[in-house]
Amino acid sequence: MSFDAVAQQPKLLYLLQGVAAFAAVVSLILLALHRRPFRRKAAALLLLAPALLLLTVGLLLPGLRTLALSFTDSGGDAWAGFDNYVWMVTDPRAMVALRNTLAWVVLVPLLAASVGLLYAAAVVRSRFRAFALSLLLMPMTISFVGAGVVWKFVYAYRPAEAGQIGLLNQLVVAFGGEPRQWLVHSPWNVLFLIVVMVWTQAGFAAVLLAAAIRAVPGELTEAARLDGASPRQIFWRITMPSIRPTLLVVVLAQTIGTFKAFDIVRTMTGGQFDTGVIAHEMYDQAFRYGETGRGAALAVLLFVLVTPFVAHQVRAQRRTV
């Protein structure tokens, strides 16, 4: 599809107007600071003004607009009250999305952090530590769409009489089993999608946790070893308490990212077979079915669910600074 410059002129005009307005604000601030000395706090506020303007235009106003749309009908015009929020907790499809999102938020951080921790503990003292960690980190360099395409081939299904192109079904057939449609049967298909997310995120956890383990003072572990502590006791009573802040950061970051899971579901199942999550259902309702109010309500719900985790992570980072 070619780019139609004529059809896009209004949008391009708005963009140019926004850039010009932003440049004008920055120029006026710099001019004011150059001509007249300000107190430190006043100068700081002036320098922050462009960023605050961008946050207001790009985040605050759209957020308020989305909140207002969540109380409207499908067209976004007539007032609908709390109908969209009632729909979220009564409609079977929406309830499936809520249930699946809960499964993702619980399992992905737990599994990714566990795999990353075990892997980091296994390779942290190795001479090939950097190479081993890079192997697990490599999937993170792939986009979620790319990871979904890769694993869609892994889960690919063909009838028993045909040659299997999916790695998993090929292994099943090699051991005498029957090939299965892994992404069709609920609720197991949700777990198979979660595996893809864990595959992409375990490396992130392993790198951070390996650095935290190496930062544990050697005097502590050596003293525990001299006192007769076993490697398991050293790990659970010395290493784990020492890396707990890093582990908390890893889990919170994984949780926040999991709430926004969309690409993997969209690429592998399109939300079919009861695999939808809140982010994907929001997209479907707003852009596929034309239910603007319902899509906005799901966006508001997603924001409300993510906010406590973001606030907790900000507080945790402030305590470590």
Side-chain angles (χ1 to χ4, degrees):
M1 182 181 294
S2 60
F3 178 77
D4 189 350
V6 176
Q8 300 297 326
Q9 277 185 0
K11 297 179 182 179
L12 294 174
L13 182 60
Y14 293 149
L15 178 61
L16 292 175
Q17 289 175 349
V19 172
F22 182 75
V25 170
V26 174
S27 300
L28 289 174
I29 291 174
L30 294 177
L31 182 63
L33 291 174
H34 177 71
R35 290 193 171 185
R36 178 183 176 184
F38 287 86
R39 293 182 179 180
R40 183 175 300 178
K41 290 185 178 180
L45 289 176
L46 281 175
L47 291 173
L48 284 174
L52 294 175
L53 177 63
L54 286 179
L55 285 174
T56 301
V57 174
L59 184 63
L60 181 60
L61 294 181
L64 294 175
R65 173 63 174 167
T66 300
L67 180 62
L69 285 174
S70 69
F71 295 101
T72 61
D73 61 359
S74 60
D77 301 319
W79 178 261
F82 290 93
D83 291 351
N84 296 319
Y85 293 94
V86 173
W87 165 83
M88 280 194 302
V89 296
T90 56
D91 182 76
R93 180 186 173 105
M95 291 299 294
V96 167
L98 295 175
R99 181 198 68 193
N100 291 342
T101 302
L102 177 62
W104 278 71
V105 170
V106 172
L107 293 178
V108 170
L110 176 63
L111 293 176
S114 299
V115 172
L117 177 60
L118 293 175
Y119 192 85
V123 304
V124 70
R125 306 300 178 188
S126 171
R127 290 186 302 170
F128 306 101
R129 177 184 68 258
F131 176 73
L133 289 173
S134 66
L135 289 179
L136 193 63
L137 189 63
M138 195 175 298
M140 195 174 180
T141 63
I142 307 174
S143 67
F144 286 146
V145 173
V149 172
V150 170
W151 279 85
K152 197 170 183 178
F153 280 107
V154 173
Y155 295 141
Y157 164 83
R158 282 188 175 182
E161 60 274 8
Q164 298 299 320
I165 62 172
L167 176 61
L168 188 55
N169 273 323
Q170 182 62 49
L171 292 174
V172 170
V173 171
F175 284 96
E178 291 291 326
R180 294 187 55 188
Q181 300 187 50
W182 304 100
L183 299 179
V184 171
H185 303 291
S186 179
W188 303 108
N189 50 6
V190 176
L191 298 179
F192 291 126
L193 296 181
I194 287 175
V195 168
V196 183
M197 187 75 166
V198 173
W199 179 70
T200 61
Q201 298 301 307
F204 168 78
V207 170
L208 292 186
L209 293 173
I213 292 174
R214 284 181 60 82
V216 175
E219 297 83 359
L220 293 178
T221 57
E222 186 63 27
R225 189 176 294 109
L226 291 176
D227 288 339
S230 65
R232 179 179 298 180
Q233 290 174 324
I234 293 175
F235 180 78
W236 286 108
R237 298 184 181 182
I238 302 296
T239 304
M240 283 299 293
S242 300
I243 67 172
R244 187 172 296 146
T246 304
L247 186 61
L248 179 61
V249 170
V250 169
V251 171
L252 286 175
Q254 300 285 0
T255 302
I256 295 169
T258 303
F259 268 117
K260 300 179 292 183
F262 170 83
D263 313 67
I264 294 175
V265 176
R266 184 67 180 175
T267 303
M268 299 187 67
T269 64
Q272 301 179 56
F273 315 116
D274 291 340
T275 58
V277 291
I278 292 178
H280 189 272
E281 188 64 24
M282 175 185 67
Y283 171 85
D284 273 355
Q285 293 296 330
F287 302 107
R288 186 179 177 186
Y289 304 132
E291 294 287 347
T292 304
R294 292 179 179 180
L298 288 169
V300 172
L301 174 64
L302 195 60
F303 175 79
V304 171
L305 294 175
V306 171
T307 298
F309 294 96
V310 174
H312 194 283
Q313 187 178 32
V314 171
R315 286 198 300 267
Q317 289 179 343
R318 286 180 176 176
R319 286 197 295 264
T320 57
V321 173

